[in-house]
Amino acid sequence: MRIAILGCGYVGLVTGACLAEIGHSVVCTDNDESKIETLNQGSLPIYEPGLQEIVDRCVAAQRLSFTTNLGEAVRHGDTIFICVGTPPLPNGDADLSSIDAAARLIATESRSSKLVVEKSTVPMQTGQNLARALTIYSRKSSHTFSVASNPEFLREGTAVLDFLHPDRIVIGVNDEQTEGMLREIYQPVLQRSVVPCPVHKGSCPVKEAPTLLVTSISSAELIKHASNSFLAVKISYANLIADICESMGADVEEVVLGMGLDPRIGPAFLRPGLGFGGFCFPKDIQAFIRLGERAGVDVSLLRDAEVINKRRVDQFLAKATHYLWTLKQKRIGVLGLAFKPNTDDIRFAPAIELISKLLQEHAQVQVFDPKAMTKSRSLFPSIRYCQDAYQVAEHAEALLIATEWEEFKNLDWERIKTLMQRPLVLDGRNLLDAQQMQAMGFEYQGIGIPVTQAAAETARAVALR
Ligand code: UDX
């Protein structure tokens, strides 16, 4: 099928490349010409495992192309996926102006009828506004536009896997013809006939075919916000439990393990730490709060999850102050900048907030991240960007783990200990094993792990602030 992708951010690029990979003819466009130039030079504007290979293969097979000519892209697609950004406005609402602009572009540039699919994360009722805008902007033409919602659930770092092996595909439609077109587009994924599987190189362990859930457009839009907000609440719940563990003397890792064994709860997204970041959860829970308020619904559950999340970095910083007394002029190493491992994305990353607060305390900060250094340099020109984790440890009086990159777990921690001025490790992601670290002679403090009485009092004081 002939498909156009408007917007080449995470969602657009992964969607476009994977739709080409499963056999469609895809043209991607973006009004950021430098992004298209980068793509046409054969590189990606983002780091996403497995994506470069798929883009190279599909471009070579002439199933995927990138153009700055917005109209040409629109005219290529019988189906147009809107994947533009919907960043938060100051009041927390999602900024839908790019969706509106996409409607105007589609209505004015189309030379035939189109299926227009919302893929960006949007609040409920956006589909209705989109349909109305398309009708208004195309009142001089005879073409018709059907609208559908197809929210994506891909996670950064595993986006290609999530697209080709989704748990479910949700399509919000108004009619059977639209349902039929989207079912045909996703057929190879639904029938698991993408062979060889680009993620598993042929020996694909995934057996179950994903569920195709057909709903109304409004329900599909709500499924996305509700799902992300639920996961955010689950993470904040785990962090709430961690605070109780720290204050009262239990081990959160044992507690969440016990909780997660109940299939009604499940182990996923119960990892306590520095809180959720990234370009989705923080803005989606805010937009969902705003939607709930407009609906006249009490959204205090979501608000509290947000408040718990916003406190995580301050609580972690209070721990550092507890151990270091004051932070001024202290040399502090930070491992991890990205909002989570396997991505170079630092948007709303707790690590970034942590570093800016350490700098406010006039600490000397040295950092390392396997992928996110380039994107951070412009943010903090004054800090020391190290070659590797060992350089971060040099003369450090504390090492703070902010992102749980697997490679940090496999470091030579004996060597790290010799490099540090004081073997103090504060683990904001419970990446390391407390007993092993303490047995090696480190002062080690995780999240929600039993601590000294003094540190418990600090944690209690900060939690109640
Ligand atoms: C999320 C959703 O998972 C995905 O379905 C949606 O399409 C987009 O938003 P993403 O933002 O890439 O994906 O990251 P995710 O893996 O969900 O992690 C979000 C944040 O929560 C990260 O900061 C992560 O560190 C944190 N997190 C996640 C926890 O603190 N604890 C957990 O148990 C899981």
Side-chain angles (χ1 to χ4, degrees), residues 152-157 224 228 231 235 239 267-281 284 339-341 350 404 429:
E152 56 63 36
F153 302 100
L154 54 89
R155 293 161 294 167
E156 295 182 24
K224 175 62 194 235
N228 269 7
L231 294 172
I235 294 167
N239 284 321
F269 282 64
L270 270 182
R271 265 182 307 102
L274 278 181
F276 56 78
F279 198 59
C280 294
F281 283 5
D284 291 351
F339 81 98
K340 65 176 199 176
E404 66 277 27
R429 296 292 181 179

PDB file of all heavy atoms in Angstrom, residues 152-157 224 228 231 235 239 267-281 284 339-341 350 404 429, ligand 1:
ATOM      1  N   GLU A 152       0.198   4.494  19.120  1.00  0.00           N
ATOM      2  CA  GLU A 152       1.351   3.596  19.202  1.00  0.00           C
ATOM      3  C   GLU A 152       1.740   3.426  20.663  1.00  0.00           C
ATOM      4  O   GLU A 152       1.466   4.275  21.478  1.00  0.00           O
ATOM      5  CB  GLU A 152       2.520   4.115  18.362  1.00  0.00           C
ATOM      6  CG  GLU A 152       2.996   5.502  18.662  1.00  0.00           C
ATOM      7  CD  GLU A 152       3.551   5.662  20.067  1.00  0.00           C
ATOM      8  OE1 GLU A 152       4.184   4.734  20.582  1.00  0.00           O
ATOM      9  OE2 GLU A 152       3.261   6.728  20.639  1.00  0.00           O
ATOM     10  N   PHE A 153       2.353   2.266  20.954  1.00  0.00           N
ATOM     11  CA  PHE A 153       2.752   1.948  22.324  1.00  0.00           C
ATOM     12  C   PHE A 153       4.236   1.619  22.371  1.00  0.00           C
ATOM     13  O   PHE A 153       4.712   0.988  23.303  1.00  0.00           O
ATOM     14  CB  PHE A 153       1.914   0.777  22.852  1.00  0.00           C
ATOM     15  CG  PHE A 153       0.437   1.051  22.821  1.00  0.00           C
ATOM     16  CD1 PHE A 153      -0.363   0.543  21.799  1.00  0.00           C
ATOM     17  CD2 PHE A 153      -0.154   1.860  23.792  1.00  0.00           C
ATOM     18  CE1 PHE A 153      -1.720   0.816  21.754  1.00  0.00           C
ATOM     19  CE2 PHE A 153      -1.520   2.133  23.753  1.00  0.00           C
ATOM     20  CZ  PHE A 153      -2.303   1.614  22.722  1.00  0.00           C
ATOM     21  N   LEU A 154       4.971   2.070  21.361  1.00  0.00           N
ATOM     22  CA  LEU A 154       6.379   1.697  21.325  1.00  0.00           C
ATOM     23  C   LEU A 154       7.187   2.422  22.400  1.00  0.00           C
ATOM     24  O   LEU A 154       6.882   3.559  22.748  1.00  0.00           O
ATOM     25  CB  LEU A 154       6.957   1.928  19.924  1.00  0.00           C
ATOM     26  CG  LEU A 154       6.809   3.296  19.264  1.00  0.00           C
ATOM     27  CD1 LEU A 154       7.987   4.195  19.648  1.00  0.00           C
ATOM     28  CD2 LEU A 154       6.790   3.116  17.742  1.00  0.00           C
ATOM     29  N   ARG A 155       8.167   1.727  22.954  1.00  0.00           N
ATOM     30  CA  ARG A 155       9.056   2.296  23.962  1.00  0.00           C
ATOM     31  C   ARG A 155      10.383   2.603  23.311  1.00  0.00           C
ATOM     32  O   ARG A 155      10.877   1.825  22.485  1.00  0.00           O
ATOM     33  CB  ARG A 155       9.296   1.282  25.100  1.00  0.00           C
ATOM     34  CG  ARG A 155       8.091   0.953  25.940  1.00  0.00           C
ATOM     35  CD  ARG A 155       8.299  -0.343  26.691  1.00  0.00           C
ATOM     36  NE  ARG A 155       8.380  -1.440  25.736  1.00  0.00           N
ATOM     37  CZ  ARG A 155       8.806  -2.660  26.046  1.00  0.00           C
ATOM     38  NH1 ARG A 155       9.241  -2.928  27.268  1.00  0.00           N
ATOM     39  NH2 ARG A 155       8.848  -3.614  25.135  1.00  0.00           N
ATOM     40  N   GLU A 156      10.978   3.725  23.661  1.00  0.00           N
ATOM     41  CA  GLU A 156      12.306   4.050  23.143  1.00  0.00           C
ATOM     42  C   GLU A 156      13.282   2.983  23.623  1.00  0.00           C
ATOM     43  O   GLU A 156      13.195   2.509  24.748  1.00  0.00           O
ATOM     44  CB  GLU A 156      12.728   5.436  23.618  1.00  0.00           C
ATOM     45  CG  GLU A 156      11.839   6.535  23.035  1.00  0.00           C
ATOM     46  CD  GLU A 156      12.274   7.940  23.454  1.00  0.00           C
ATOM     47  OE1 GLU A 156      13.451   8.106  23.782  1.00  0.00           O
ATOM     48  OE2 GLU A 156      11.416   8.839  23.455  1.00  0.00           O
ATOM     49  N   GLY A 157      14.178   2.598  22.718  1.00  0.00           N
ATOM     50  CA  GLY A 157      15.154   1.577  23.076  1.00  0.00           C
ATOM     51  C   GLY A 157      14.720   0.191  22.611  1.00  0.00           C
ATOM     52  O   GLY A 157      15.553  -0.666  22.363  1.00  0.00           O
ATOM     53  N   LYS A 224      -4.697   5.220  24.837  1.00  0.00           N
ATOM     54  CA  LYS A 224      -3.286   5.636  24.901  1.00  0.00           C
ATOM     55  C   LYS A 224      -2.998   6.424  26.169  1.00  0.00           C
ATOM     56  O   LYS A 224      -2.114   6.067  26.951  1.00  0.00           O
ATOM     57  CB  LYS A 224      -2.934   6.451  23.659  1.00  0.00           C
ATOM     58  CG  LYS A 224      -1.534   7.045  23.651  1.00  0.00           C
ATOM     59  CD  LYS A 224      -0.458   5.995  23.679  1.00  0.00           C
ATOM     60  CE  LYS A 224       0.878   6.615  24.001  1.00  0.00           C
ATOM     61  NZ  LYS A 224       1.899   6.342  23.035  1.00  0.00           N
ATOM     62  N   ASN A 228      -0.704   4.968  29.401  1.00  0.00           N
ATOM     63  CA  ASN A 228       0.535   5.617  29.872  1.00  0.00           C
ATOM     64  C   ASN A 228       0.382   6.154  31.285  1.00  0.00           C
ATOM     65  O   ASN A 228       1.277   6.038  32.116  1.00  0.00           O
ATOM     66  CB  ASN A 228       0.939   6.734  28.903  1.00  0.00           C
ATOM     67  CG  ASN A 228       1.876   6.212  27.828  1.00  0.00           C
ATOM     68  OD1 ASN A 228       2.119   5.008  27.739  1.00  0.00           O
ATOM     69  ND2 ASN A 228       2.391   7.104  27.020  1.00  0.00           N
ATOM     70  N   LEU A 231       0.582   3.296  33.793  1.00  0.00           N
ATOM     71  CA  LEU A 231       1.967   2.849  34.013  1.00  0.00           C
ATOM     72  C   LEU A 231       2.720   3.846  34.893  1.00  0.00           C
ATOM     73  O   LEU A 231       3.493   3.469  35.777  1.00  0.00           O
ATOM     74  CB  LEU A 231       2.670   2.647  32.675  1.00  0.00           C
ATOM     75  CG  LEU A 231       2.138   1.512  31.801  1.00  0.00           C
ATOM     76  CD1 LEU A 231       2.772   1.541  30.420  1.00  0.00           C
ATOM     77  CD2 LEU A 231       2.369   0.152  32.469  1.00  0.00           C
ATOM     78  N   ILE A 235       4.451   3.126  38.567  1.00  0.00           N
ATOM     79  CA  ILE A 235       5.839   3.458  38.945  1.00  0.00           C
ATOM     80  C   ILE A 235       5.849   4.301  40.222  1.00  0.00           C
ATOM     81  O   ILE A 235       6.622   4.056  41.148  1.00  0.00           O
ATOM     82  CB  ILE A 235       6.539   4.201  37.789  1.00  0.00           C
ATOM     83  CG1 ILE A 235       6.706   3.298  36.577  1.00  0.00           C
ATOM     84  CG2 ILE A 235       7.893   4.757  38.233  1.00  0.00           C
ATOM     85  CD1 ILE A 235       7.100   4.034  35.308  1.00  0.00           C
ATOM     86  N   ASN A 239       7.494   3.659  43.931  1.00  0.00           N
ATOM     87  CA  ASN A 239       8.354   4.622  44.637  1.00  0.00           C
ATOM     88  C   ASN A 239       7.788   4.965  46.009  1.00  0.00           C
ATOM     89  O   ASN A 239       8.534   5.191  46.971  1.00  0.00           O
ATOM     90  CB  ASN A 239       8.552   5.870  43.771  1.00  0.00           C
ATOM     91  CG  ASN A 239       9.532   5.600  42.635  1.00  0.00           C
ATOM     92  OD1 ASN A 239      10.523   4.907  42.825  1.00  0.00           O
ATOM     93  ND2 ASN A 239       9.259   6.130  41.454  1.00  0.00           N
ATOM     94  N   PRO A 267       4.813  -8.053  37.349  1.00  0.00           N
ATOM     95  CA  PRO A 267       6.106  -7.470  37.740  1.00  0.00           C
ATOM     96  C   PRO A 267       6.514  -6.229  36.935  1.00  0.00           C
ATOM     97  O   PRO A 267       7.325  -5.440  37.398  1.00  0.00           O
ATOM     98  CB  PRO A 267       7.081  -8.620  37.468  1.00  0.00           C
ATOM     99  CG  PRO A 267       6.440  -9.401  36.353  1.00  0.00           C
ATOM    100  CD  PRO A 267       4.954  -9.300  36.577  1.00  0.00           C
ATOM    101  N   ALA A 268       5.910  -6.037  35.763  1.00  0.00           N
ATOM    102  CA  ALA A 268       6.385  -4.936  34.893  1.00  0.00           C
ATOM    103  C   ALA A 268       6.065  -3.564  35.488  1.00  0.00           C
ATOM    104  O   ALA A 268       5.042  -3.377  36.141  1.00  0.00           O
ATOM    105  CB  ALA A 268       5.735  -5.060  33.519  1.00  0.00           C
ATOM    106  N   PHE A 269       7.020  -2.640  35.276  1.00  0.00           N
ATOM    107  CA  PHE A 269       6.818  -1.258  35.698  1.00  0.00           C
ATOM    108  C   PHE A 269       6.583  -1.105  37.188  1.00  0.00           C
ATOM    109  O   PHE A 269       5.814  -0.257  37.656  1.00  0.00           O
ATOM    110  CB  PHE A 269       5.732  -0.576  34.851  1.00  0.00           C
ATOM    111  CG  PHE A 269       6.255  -0.162  33.510  1.00  0.00           C
ATOM    112  CD1 PHE A 269       6.692  -1.131  32.619  1.00  0.00           C
ATOM    113  CD2 PHE A 269       6.395   1.163  33.164  1.00  0.00           C
ATOM    114  CE1 PHE A 269       7.249  -0.769  31.402  1.00  0.00           C
ATOM    115  CE2 PHE A 269       6.934   1.532  31.937  1.00  0.00           C
ATOM    116  CZ  PHE A 269       7.365   0.558  31.051  1.00  0.00           C
ATOM    117  N   LEU A 270       7.305  -1.934  37.947  1.00  0.00           N
ATOM    118  CA  LEU A 270       7.274  -1.821  39.416  1.00  0.00           C
ATOM    119  C   LEU A 270       8.678  -1.535  39.926  1.00  0.00           C
ATOM    120  O   LEU A 270       8.994  -1.815  41.077  1.00  0.00           O
ATOM    121  CB  LEU A 270       6.757  -3.121  40.042  1.00  0.00           C
ATOM    122  CG  LEU A 270       5.257  -3.273  40.286  1.00  0.00           C
ATOM    123  CD1 LEU A 270       4.966  -4.620  40.963  1.00  0.00           C
ATOM    124  CD2 LEU A 270       4.698  -2.128  41.109  1.00  0.00           C
ATOM    125  N   ARG A 271       9.523  -0.990  39.051  1.00  0.00           N
ATOM    126  CA  ARG A 271      10.912  -0.688  39.456  1.00  0.00           C
ATOM    127  C   ARG A 271      11.003   0.698  40.099  1.00  0.00           C
ATOM    128  O   ARG A 271      10.757   1.708  39.441  1.00  0.00           O
ATOM    129  CB  ARG A 271      11.843  -0.750  38.242  1.00  0.00           C
ATOM    130  CG  ARG A 271      12.563  -2.080  38.039  1.00  0.00           C
ATOM    131  CD  ARG A 271      13.526  -2.110  36.867  1.00  0.00           C
ATOM    132  NE  ARG A 271      12.900  -1.690  35.610  1.00  0.00           N
ATOM    133  CZ  ARG A 271      13.075  -0.476  35.073  1.00  0.00           C
ATOM    134  NH1 ARG A 271      13.836   0.412  35.672  1.00  0.00           N
ATOM    135  NH2 ARG A 271      12.488  -0.165  33.931  1.00  0.00           N
ATOM    136  N   PRO A 272      11.333   0.760  41.392  1.00  0.00           N
ATOM    137  CA  PRO A 272      11.493   2.074  42.015  1.00  0.00           C
ATOM    138  C   PRO A 272      12.778   2.721  41.517  1.00  0.00           C
ATOM    139  O   PRO A 272      13.650   2.058  40.955  1.00  0.00           O
ATOM    140  CB  PRO A 272      11.585   1.737  43.502  1.00  0.00           C
ATOM    141  CG  PRO A 272      12.159   0.363  43.538  1.00  0.00           C
ATOM    142  CD  PRO A 272      11.679  -0.337  42.297  1.00  0.00           C
ATOM    143  N   GLY A 273      12.855   4.034  41.678  1.00  0.00           N
ATOM    144  CA  GLY A 273      14.086   4.687  41.257  1.00  0.00           C
ATOM    145  C   GLY A 273      13.957   6.194  41.305  1.00  0.00           C
ATOM    146  O   GLY A 273      13.239   6.751  42.148  1.00  0.00           O
ATOM    147  N   LEU A 274      14.582   6.830  40.309  1.00  0.00           N
ATOM    148  CA  LEU A 274      14.610   8.307  40.280  1.00  0.00           C
ATOM    149  C   LEU A 274      13.358   8.871  39.643  1.00  0.00           C
ATOM    150  O   LEU A 274      13.240  10.074  39.426  1.00  0.00           O
ATOM    151  CB  LEU A 274      15.822   8.776  39.485  1.00  0.00           C
ATOM    152  CG  LEU A 274      17.157   8.816  40.216  1.00  0.00           C
ATOM    153  CD1 LEU A 274      18.235   9.329  39.291  1.00  0.00           C
ATOM    154  CD2 LEU A 274      17.056   9.689  41.456  1.00  0.00           C
ATOM    155  N   GLY A 275      12.416   7.928  39.304  1.00  0.00           N
ATOM    156  CA  GLY A 275      11.167   8.419  38.725  1.00  0.00           C
ATOM    157  C   GLY A 275      11.128   8.295  37.225  1.00  0.00           C
ATOM    158  O   GLY A 275      12.146   8.068  36.564  1.00  0.00           O
ATOM    159  N   PHE A 276       9.915   8.455  36.692  1.00  0.00           N
ATOM    160  CA  PHE A 276       9.752   8.336  35.248  1.00  0.00           C
ATOM    161  C   PHE A 276      10.068   9.654  34.548  1.00  0.00           C
ATOM    162  O   PHE A 276       9.818  10.745  35.060  1.00  0.00           O
ATOM    163  CB  PHE A 276       8.342   7.852  34.886  1.00  0.00           C
ATOM    164  CG  PHE A 276       7.190   8.666  35.417  1.00  0.00           C
ATOM    165  CD1 PHE A 276       6.820   9.876  34.807  1.00  0.00           C
ATOM    166  CD2 PHE A 276       6.483   8.234  36.525  1.00  0.00           C
ATOM    167  CE1 PHE A 276       5.761  10.623  35.311  1.00  0.00           C
ATOM    168  CE2 PHE A 276       5.416   8.985  37.022  1.00  0.00           C
ATOM    169  CZ  PHE A 276       5.058  10.180  36.419  1.00  0.00           C
ATOM    170  N   GLY A 277      10.690   9.546  33.400  1.00  0.00           N
ATOM    171  CA  GLY A 277      11.032  10.715  32.579  1.00  0.00           C
ATOM    172  C   GLY A 277      10.681  10.400  31.143  1.00  0.00           C
ATOM    173  O   GLY A 277       9.787   9.573  30.873  1.00  0.00           O
ATOM    174  N   GLY A 278      11.398  11.065  30.212  1.00  0.00           N
ATOM    175  CA  GLY A 278      11.144  10.817  28.797  1.00  0.00           C
ATOM    176  C   GLY A 278      10.063  11.751  28.274  1.00  0.00           C
ATOM    177  O   GLY A 278       9.459  12.514  29.024  1.00  0.00           O
ATOM    178  N   PHE A 279       9.813  11.654  26.945  1.00  0.00           N
ATOM    179  CA  PHE A 279       8.897  12.595  26.320  1.00  0.00           C
ATOM    180  C   PHE A 279       7.454  12.135  26.377  1.00  0.00           C
ATOM    181  O   PHE A 279       6.554  12.791  25.839  1.00  0.00           O
ATOM    182  CB  PHE A 279       9.309  12.856  24.881  1.00  0.00           C
ATOM    183  CG  PHE A 279       8.704  14.101  24.316  1.00  0.00           C
ATOM    184  CD1 PHE A 279       8.948  15.326  24.927  1.00  0.00           C
ATOM    185  CD2 PHE A 279       7.866  14.062  23.236  1.00  0.00           C
ATOM    186  CE1 PHE A 279       8.364  16.488  24.442  1.00  0.00           C
ATOM    187  CE2 PHE A 279       7.284  15.210  22.734  1.00  0.00           C
ATOM    188  CZ  PHE A 279       7.521  16.435  23.349  1.00  0.00           C
ATOM    189  N   CYS A 280       7.197  11.011  27.066  1.00  0.00           N
ATOM    190  CA  CYS A 280       5.812  10.505  27.059  1.00  0.00           C
ATOM    191  C   CYS A 280       5.130  10.598  28.415  1.00  0.00           C
ATOM    192  O   CYS A 280       4.178  11.366  28.577  1.00  0.00           O
ATOM    193  CB  CYS A 280       5.798   9.075  26.522  1.00  0.00           C
ATOM    194  SG  CYS A 280       6.284   9.002  24.807  1.00  0.00           S
ATOM    195  N   PHE A 281       5.583   9.850  29.385  1.00  0.00           N
ATOM    196  CA  PHE A 281       4.853   9.774  30.661  1.00  0.00           C
ATOM    197  C   PHE A 281       4.613  11.159  31.283  1.00  0.00           C
ATOM    198  O   PHE A 281       3.470  11.492  31.614  1.00  0.00           O
ATOM    199  CB  PHE A 281       5.578   8.863  31.643  1.00  0.00           C
ATOM    200  CG  PHE A 281       5.405   7.392  31.366  1.00  0.00           C
ATOM    201  CD1 PHE A 281       4.726   6.943  30.236  1.00  0.00           C
ATOM    202  CD2 PHE A 281       5.944   6.451  32.224  1.00  0.00           C
ATOM    203  CE1 PHE A 281       4.576   5.592  29.976  1.00  0.00           C
ATOM    204  CE2 PHE A 281       5.806   5.089  31.982  1.00  0.00           C
ATOM    205  CZ  PHE A 281       5.113   4.652  30.859  1.00  0.00           C
ATOM    206  N   ASP A 284       2.080  13.000  29.085  1.00  0.00           N
ATOM    207  CA  ASP A 284       0.793  12.308  28.931  1.00  0.00           C
ATOM    208  C   ASP A 284      -0.018  12.340  30.220  1.00  0.00           C
ATOM    209  O   ASP A 284      -1.244  12.517  30.192  1.00  0.00           O
ATOM    210  CB  ASP A 284       1.023  10.861  28.467  1.00  0.00           C
ATOM    211  CG  ASP A 284       1.542  10.806  27.024  1.00  0.00           C
ATOM    212  OD1 ASP A 284       1.537  11.874  26.366  1.00  0.00           O
ATOM    213  OD2 ASP A 284       1.983   9.734  26.592  1.00  0.00           O
ATOM    214  N   PHE A 339      17.106   9.301  29.772  1.00  0.00           N
ATOM    215  CA  PHE A 339      15.998   9.097  30.717  1.00  0.00           C
ATOM    216  C   PHE A 339      15.803   7.627  31.054  1.00  0.00           C
ATOM    217  O   PHE A 339      15.132   7.285  32.032  1.00  0.00           O
ATOM    218  CB  PHE A 339      14.707   9.734  30.196  1.00  0.00           C
ATOM    219  CG  PHE A 339      13.945   8.922  29.177  1.00  0.00           C
ATOM    220  CD1 PHE A 339      12.877   8.136  29.559  1.00  0.00           C
ATOM    221  CD2 PHE A 339      14.275   8.985  27.828  1.00  0.00           C
ATOM    222  CE1 PHE A 339      12.147   7.401  28.629  1.00  0.00           C
ATOM    223  CE2 PHE A 339      13.565   8.258  26.890  1.00  0.00           C
ATOM    224  CZ  PHE A 339      12.491   7.471  27.297  1.00  0.00           C
ATOM    225  N   LYS A 340      16.425   6.767  30.194  1.00  0.00           N
ATOM    226  CA  LYS A 340      16.448   5.326  30.471  1.00  0.00           C
ATOM    227  C   LYS A 340      17.516   4.724  29.594  1.00  0.00           C
ATOM    228  O   LYS A 340      18.002   5.390  28.676  1.00  0.00           O
ATOM    229  CB  LYS A 340      15.090   4.691  30.199  1.00  0.00           C
ATOM    230  CG  LYS A 340      14.646   4.723  28.765  1.00  0.00           C
ATOM    231  CD  LYS A 340      13.348   3.980  28.618  1.00  0.00           C
ATOM    232  CE  LYS A 340      13.118   3.610  27.196  1.00  0.00           C
ATOM    233  NZ  LYS A 340      11.921   2.817  26.986  1.00  0.00           N
ATOM    234  N   PRO A 341      17.890   3.459  29.812  1.00  0.00           N
ATOM    235  CA  PRO A 341      18.962   2.888  28.984  1.00  0.00           C
ATOM    236  C   PRO A 341      18.522   2.650  27.537  1.00  0.00           C
ATOM    237  O   PRO A 341      17.334   2.734  27.227  1.00  0.00           O
ATOM    238  CB  PRO A 341      19.263   1.555  29.666  1.00  0.00           C
ATOM    239  CG  PRO A 341      18.185   1.303  30.636  1.00  0.00           C
ATOM    240  CD  PRO A 341      17.440   2.557  30.873  1.00  0.00           C
ATOM    241  N   PRO A 350      15.364  12.369  34.545  1.00  0.00           N
ATOM    242  CA  PRO A 350      15.716  12.688  35.945  1.00  0.00           C
ATOM    243  C   PRO A 350      17.198  13.025  36.117  1.00  0.00           C
ATOM    244  O   PRO A 350      17.561  13.885  36.924  1.00  0.00           O
ATOM    245  CB  PRO A 350      15.336  11.401  36.671  1.00  0.00           C
ATOM    246  CG  PRO A 350      14.242  10.804  35.841  1.00  0.00           C
ATOM    247  CD  PRO A 350      14.624  11.104  34.430  1.00  0.00           C
ATOM    248  N   GLU A 404      20.114   3.203  34.395  1.00  0.00           N
ATOM    249  CA  GLU A 404      20.553   1.808  34.630  1.00  0.00           C
ATOM    250  C   GLU A 404      21.061   1.122  33.364  1.00  0.00           C
ATOM    251  O   GLU A 404      20.572   0.069  32.943  1.00  0.00           O
ATOM    252  CB  GLU A 404      19.416   1.000  35.270  1.00  0.00           C
ATOM    253  CG  GLU A 404      18.166   0.763  34.417  1.00  0.00           C
ATOM    254  CD  GLU A 404      17.162   1.871  34.387  1.00  0.00           C
ATOM    255  OE1 GLU A 404      17.576   3.039  34.577  1.00  0.00           O
ATOM    256  OE2 GLU A 404      15.973   1.562  34.153  1.00  0.00           O
ATOM    257  N   ARG A 429      18.890   3.717  40.718  1.00  0.00           N
ATOM    258  CA  ARG A 429      18.103   2.775  39.909  1.00  0.00           C
ATOM    259  C   ARG A 429      18.210   1.342  40.416  1.00  0.00           C
ATOM    260  O   ARG A 429      17.827   0.393  39.731  1.00  0.00           O
ATOM    261  CB  ARG A 429      18.571   2.833  38.451  1.00  0.00           C
ATOM    262  CG  ARG A 429      18.352   4.172  37.773  1.00  0.00           C
ATOM    263  CD  ARG A 429      16.872   4.464  37.577  1.00  0.00           C
ATOM    264  NE  ARG A 429      16.635   5.740  36.904  1.00  0.00           N
ATOM    265  CZ  ARG A 429      15.425   6.215  36.601  1.00  0.00           C
ATOM    266  NH1 ARG A 429      14.372   5.546  36.938  1.00  0.00           N
ATOM    267  NH2 ARG A 429      15.278   7.375  36.019  1.00  0.00           N
TER     268      ARG A 429
HETATM  269  C1  UDX B   1       6.491   4.915  27.195  1.00  0.00           C
HETATM  270  C2  UDX B   1       5.521   3.732  27.128  1.00  0.00           C
HETATM  271  O1  UDX B   1       6.105   2.603  27.753  1.00  0.00           O
HETATM  272  C3  UDX B   1       5.205   3.395  25.687  1.00  0.00           C
HETATM  273  O2  UDX B   1       4.237   2.363  25.611  1.00  0.00           O
HETATM  274  C4  UDX B   1       4.637   4.635  25.015  1.00  0.00           C
HETATM  275  O3  UDX B   1       4.365   4.391  23.693  1.00  0.00           O
HETATM  276  C5  UDX B   1       5.594   5.782  25.143  1.00  0.00           C
HETATM  277  O4  UDX B   1       5.910   6.019  26.488  1.00  0.00           O
HETATM  278  P1  UDX B   1       9.095   5.295  26.937  1.00  0.00           P
HETATM  279  O5  UDX B   1       8.818   6.700  27.310  1.00  0.00           O
HETATM  280  O6  UDX B   1       9.994   5.003  25.821  1.00  0.00           O
HETATM  281  O7  UDX B   1       7.686   4.537  26.623  1.00  0.00           O
HETATM  282  O8  UDX B   1       9.745   4.637  28.220  1.00  0.00           O
HETATM  283  P2  UDX B   1       9.389   3.520  29.286  1.00  0.00           P
HETATM  284  O9  UDX B   1      10.214   2.337  29.045  1.00  0.00           O
HETATM  285  O10 UDX B   1       7.955   3.347  29.383  1.00  0.00           O
HETATM  286  O11 UDX B   1       9.925   4.265  30.603  1.00  0.00           O
HETATM  287  C6  UDX B   1       9.372   5.492  30.960  1.00  0.00           C
HETATM  288  C7  UDX B   1      10.060   6.012  32.209  1.00  0.00           C
HETATM  289  O12 UDX B   1       9.654   5.249  33.342  1.00  0.00           O
HETATM  290  C8  UDX B   1      11.587   5.952  32.147  1.00  0.00           C
HETATM  291  O13 UDX B   1      12.112   7.116  32.726  1.00  0.00           O
HETATM  292  C9  UDX B   1      11.914   4.732  33.020  1.00  0.00           C
HETATM  293  O14 UDX B   1      13.172   4.865  33.646  1.00  0.00           O
HETATM  294  C10 UDX B   1      10.802   4.807  34.062  1.00  0.00           C
HETATM  295  N1  UDX B   1      10.462   3.507  34.657  1.00  0.00           N
HETATM  296  C11 UDX B   1       9.962   2.515  33.859  1.00  0.00           C
HETATM  297  C12 UDX B   1      10.616   3.338  36.047  1.00  0.00           C
HETATM  298  O15 UDX B   1      11.063   4.247  36.762  1.00  0.00           O
HETATM  299  N2  UDX B   1      10.252   2.143  36.595  1.00  0.00           N
HETATM  300  C13 UDX B   1       9.754   1.109  35.837  1.00  0.00           C
HETATM  301  O16 UDX B   1       9.442   0.069  36.402  1.00  0.00           O
HETATM  302  C14 UDX B   1       9.608   1.307  34.419  1.00  0.00           C
END
